[in-house]
Amino acid sequence: MSWRDGAGSIVVFHNNDVALIQDKLSLIPNYLITQMRLFFRHLYTFGICCLLCLPLQAKEYRIGFLAYRGEAQGRAEWQPVLDGLNRALPAHVFSGVFLTQQQLDRALADQQLDFVVTNPAHYVLNRSQGLNWLASYLDPRFGSARESVAATLLIRADSGISTLRQLHGLRIGAVHEQAFGGYLLVAEQLRRRGVTMANMDLQFRGYPVDALVYLLRDGALDAAMVPACTLEQMAEEGLVNPADFSALMLQARTPCVRSTPLYPGWSFAAVNNQDETLLRDITRALLAEAHQGKPLWGAPIRLDEVEQLLRGWQLNTEQKPPLHVLRTVLLGYWQWLAGLMLVLLVIGLHHVRVTRLLLKRTDERDRLHSLIQSREQELTRARQATLLGEMATGLAHELNQPLSAIKAYAQAGELMTTEASSQEVLQHIVEETERGADIIRRFRQWASQPLPGPETFEPAALCRELSGRVMPRANAAGVRIELETEEGSLFCVLPAVEQIVSNLLGNSLDAFERRGQGGWLRLQAGRTEAGWHIYVQDNAGGVSSVVIEALGHTLPASRIHGMGIGLMVSYRLARRLGGALTLLNVNQGTQAELFLPKEQ
């Protein structure tokens, strides 16, 4: 037999070889079947091994139990619950930790627990930790989840205490101020009976609660607040003799001696667990557990009366840390808070803008007000200057003619007479008329033009000259002139100072002449650190108060002390010199003070 291969070569087989090849080909199906059977057998074995290894890889869950009598007693009481859960849910591992109430609080805060078994008050106080109540414990001694927790106020049987009033001042023991099955329930009953806790020596001794019974038995305490059935359990364990103790506020007969009504029992709660399938399986397993044919767990019950009791003690059942509350509010209402902050920001910016505008307008108003006042003062001064100018012009026009006539007559008389005495008198008349005309000319100049430049002069010399000038008139009126001066120099406008002092002396002499009675006239000049003071004082009867009040405002309205016009001009001149002129009545006369500053 021949056969051409893929390369084109011819292969020759003998008959024996062909038979051998046919036998080999017939064995191929049996070989494949055998190999497939071995593959599936190994796959089945591998699957069984994986299923057997699953419990080894199951997640472990920690359950925290409130062990108010200590860890050993708590483990003995609740270990059957752990064993039942591990049997019912073999895919998971449940382990228990047995802690006091404070240790449970810390473990919950540190997120170290997955489940917790505790009394209803502790459950309510820790609701903020995300507790989810799965089932309520049916205490076999009471047979009800709604009525299975109470407390007992124990005393020694031989203490002689029979009423609550006898507890005042005695040592009362409790484990903790938030212990529900002890302090809170007993203290609530005492409060309802009008017994004040402040009158007792209350001592919180901590866990376990068995220690309170021992301290009471040994006389270290006079009474103890313990959970109901604690005494009976310790008696069953042979730890104490129940005949050594008695109870106050004894309630109706129950399996255990108690001093308070019955409240809802313990609960099994999940801690922040979102696996609903696991929670459902655990709840089903708990409800299936039984003791002596009776169920140990029931459906969760309401805790309204427990919450009401805690509110009565002002324990906030919804209390949360401030930072937690703030975080919750910020996360839940951040849109509203952002909008509110935006509105407040807009209002604040608007308030700042309005305040700045108001301040700007206020400053502008003050500036305009000051400008208006300045313009009004300038207008008043201009009006007064105009009035003085008109007066000075009128006076100059009216007085120039008689002065010119007097001068002409005096000069004519001087030419007509040959006597030396008469010529001297007429010469004085001519000089005085010329001085009067010069004064009038200066009045007109000062009313409308700036003052002449200052110069240095001696006030004492000026006073002596002016007193000598008015001496003949003073002698004729019977007035004695007193001169008191101080040596020194003053840099000022001499004609203005001369005019002011001359006007003051003339006013005083006018007053003496009107009264028709002599007196004295004092002229003083003295120097201080600020400047010079020139006083003109007389005893001519004084000046009207109307003149003093009107000085510096308008023309004086009185003619009692001279015409008043010269006084007005003198006041204005003193102001223009940088000084001041004051007038007042003293010692049945008048004192005028002229102050001239040292620096002009």
Side-chain angles (χ1 to χ4, degrees):
M1 182 177 180
S2 63
W3 176 69
R4 189 179 297 273
D5 61 6
S9 301
I10 299 175
V11 181
V12 179
F13 295 96
H14 296 283
N15 292 333
N16 294 334
D17 295 332
V18 172
L20 180 62
I21 291 172
Q22 290 178 346
D23 292 339
K24 293 293 184 181
L25 291 175
S26 63
L27 294 175
I28 291 176
N30 294 331
Y31 175 76
L32 292 176
I33 292 172
T34 303
Q35 293 297 323
M36 291 296 292
R37 287 177 178 175
L38 289 176
F39 172 76
F40 283 112
R41 183 178 301 169
H42 290 306
L43 181 63
Y44 176 76
T45 304
F46 177 75
I48 294 298
C49 292
C50 291
L51 291 177
L52 293 177
C53 293
L54 282 178
L56 299 178
Q57 300 175 356
K59 181 179 179 181
E60 181 179 358
Y61 295 96
R62 290 166 57 88
I63 304 177
F65 293 90
L66 176 59
Y68 64 92
R69 289 192 60 196
E71 180 180 359
Q73 197 280 336
R75 185 178 299 276
E77 182 176 1
W78 295 109
Q79 188 63 42
V81 175
L82 289 173
D83 296 340
L85 290 175
N86 286 317
R87 286 193 304 270
L89 303 173
H92 305 285
V93 177
F94 298 91
S95 61
V97 290
F98 304 90
L99 309 170
T100 65
Q101 185 167 333
Q102 291 70 43
Q103 292 172 342
L104 273 179
D105 291 338
R106 288 193 294 270
L108 288 172
D110 295 339
Q111 299 181 355
Q112 297 176 355
L113 300 177
D114 302 296
F115 301 93
V116 63
V117 178
T118 184
N119 62 51
H122 193 223
Y123 168 80
V124 172
L125 292 174
N126 286 274
R127 188 177 293 170
S128 60
Q129 302 292 339
L131 300 185
N132 182 14
W133 196 347
L134 302 181
S136 296
Y137 183 64
L138 303 176
D139 195 325
R141 290 166 294 190
F142 299 97
S144 172
R146 183 169 299 278
E147 297 181 347
S148 60
V149 172
T152 307
L153 179 59
L154 291 177
I155 57 174
R156 291 189 304 276
D158 57 354
S159 64
I161 300 175
S162 59
T163 63
L164 298 177
R165 299 295 178 183
Q166 294 177 277
L167 296 177
H168 288 192
L170 298 184
R171 298 163 298 177
I172 312 298
V175 290
H176 193 267
E177 59 183 1
Q178 291 185 358
F180 180 68
Y183 172 71
L184 289 179
L185 293 183
V186 174
E188 174 67 15
Q189 295 302 312
L190 292 176
R191 186 172 66 174
R192 292 181 180 181
R193 287 168 169 78
V195 178
T196 304
M197 301 296 297
N199 296 331
M200 304 178 186
D201 182 12
L202 190 61
Q203 301 179 11
F204 295 106
R205 294 303 186 99
Y207 292 93
V209 72
D210 295 18
L212 293 176
V213 180
Y214 295 141
L215 292 172
L216 176 63
R217 181 194 62 186
D218 299 338
L221 294 174
D222 298 304
M225 303 176 183
V226 299
C229 299
T230 300
L231 180 64
E232 286 77 4
Q233 290 176 347
M234 295 180 68
E236 291 175 1
E237 297 167 4
L239 300 177
V240 294
N241 182 8
D244 296 337
F245 302 92
S246 180
L248 296 178
M249 301 186 297
L250 194 61
Q251 299 288 315
R253 186 64 182 174
T254 55
C256 301
V257 175
R258 57 186 175 89
S259 302
T260 69
L262 291 169
Y263 285 85
W266 289 39
S267 60
F268 190 106
V271 183
N272 292 322
N273 197 319
Q274 303 298 328
D275 188 351
E276 296 185 0
T277 301
L278 175 62
L279 298 182
R280 184 169 55 253
D281 293 342
I282 291 176
T283 303
R284 187 182 297 111
L286 290 175
L287 295 178
E289 290 189 15
H291 177 71
Q292 296 180 357
K294 296 181 180 181
L296 288 178
W297 297 92
I301 59 176
R302 295 176 58 88
L303 300 178
D304 296 342
E305 54 185 327
V306 176
E307 293 182 353
Q308 183 178 1
L309 184 143
L310 296 179
R311 290 193 186 97
W313 281 98
Q314 298 180 350
L315 295 176
N316 187 2
T317 58
E318 300 295 335
Q319 184 177 7
K320 297 180 180 179
L323 294 179
H324 178 79
V325 175
L326 179 61
R327 178 175 178 273
T328 303
V329 172
L330 291 178
L331 292 179
Y333 303 95
W334 69 268
Q335 300 95 335
W336 293 97
L337 292 176
L340 178 61
M341 293 300 294
L342 181 61
V343 171
L344 292 178
L345 179 61
V346 172
I347 294 175
L349 293 176
H350 178 69
H351 176 72
V352 172
R353 178 177 176 273
V354 171
T355 302
R356 292 186 62 184
L357 290 176
L358 180 61
L359 293 175
K360 183 178 179 180
R361 296 291 187 272
T362 303
D363 294 339
E364 185 177 355
R365 183 203 63 186
D366 295 340
R367 184 179 60 81
L368 292 176
H369 181 67
S370 300
L371 182 60
I372 291 173
Q373 286 185 334
S374 175
R375 294 292 184 268
E376 288 180 350
Q377 292 175 359
E378 291 179 0
L379 181 60
T380 301
R381 286 194 294 268
R383 188 183 300 113
Q384 293 174 352
T386 301
L387 179 60
L388 288 175
E390 292 176 357
M391 292 175 55
T393 302
L395 287 173
H397 177 73
E398 296 295 333
L399 294 177
N400 276 333
Q401 292 182 358
L403 287 175
S404 299
I406 293 172
K407 180 179 179 181
Y409 284 129
Q411 289 176 346
E414 186 179 1
L415 294 175
M416 293 174 61
T417 182
T418 58
E419 295 182 2
S421 59
S422 298
Q423 288 181 350
E424 184 181 357
V425 172
L426 292 173
Q427 181 64 32
H428 282 303
I429 293 174
V430 172
E431 291 176 358
E432 290 297 324
T433 54
E434 290 178 351
R435 193 173 65 84
D438 186 56
I439 291 174
I440 293 173
R441 187 167 52 253
R442 286 203 298 261
F443 269 138
R444 293 184 63 185
Q445 180 183 2
W446 293 339
S448 58
Q449 300 178 7
L451 291 174
E455 57 182 299
T456 302
F457 65 92
E458 294 184 359
L462 176 62
C463 291
R464 286 192 296 269
E465 180 182 352
L466 294 178
S467 62
R469 189 178 298 172
V470 299
M471 185 64 70
R473 185 180 174 187
N475 293 333
V479 178
R480 183 180 74 256
I481 296 180
E482 300 176 359
L483 183 62
E484 298 179 6
T485 59
E486 182 179 345
E487 297 299 327
S489 61
L490 173 64
F491 184 74
C492 192
V493 181
L494 175 59
V497 179
E498 178 183 354
Q499 182 60 45
I500 295 172
V501 179
S502 177
N503 186 51
L504 295 176
L505 292 173
N507 285 342
S508 295
L509 293 176
D510 289 341
F512 282 113
E513 290 172 354
R514 281 194 302 272
R515 194 175 68 164
Q517 182 180 353
W520 54 266
L521 175 61
R522 183 179 297 115
L523 177 59
Q524 297 174 306
R527 180 174 55 183
T528 62
E529 293 183 359
W532 281 84
H533 296 266
I534 300 177
Y535 299 93
V536 177
Q537 184 176 353
D538 59 45
N539 61 346
V543 69
S544 172
S545 59
V546 177
V547 175
I548 298 176
E549 293 176 359
L551 187 63
H553 298 282
T554 182
L555 287 177
S558 173
R559 297 169 55 93
I560 296 177
H561 200 160
M563 290 293 292
I565 297 176
L567 190 60
M568 164 71 87
V569 174
S570 299
Y571 179 82
R572 302 298 183 192
L573 283 175
R575 291 286 300 274
R576 294 180 67 180
L577 293 173
L581 177 62
T582 57
L583 192 68
L584 67 155
N585 292 321
V586 292
N587 298 328
Q588 298 182 353
T590 303
Q591 174 181 294
E593 178 186 0
L594 172 62
F595 169 70
L596 298 172
K598 183 187 308 182
E599 300 292 337
Q600 297 293 326

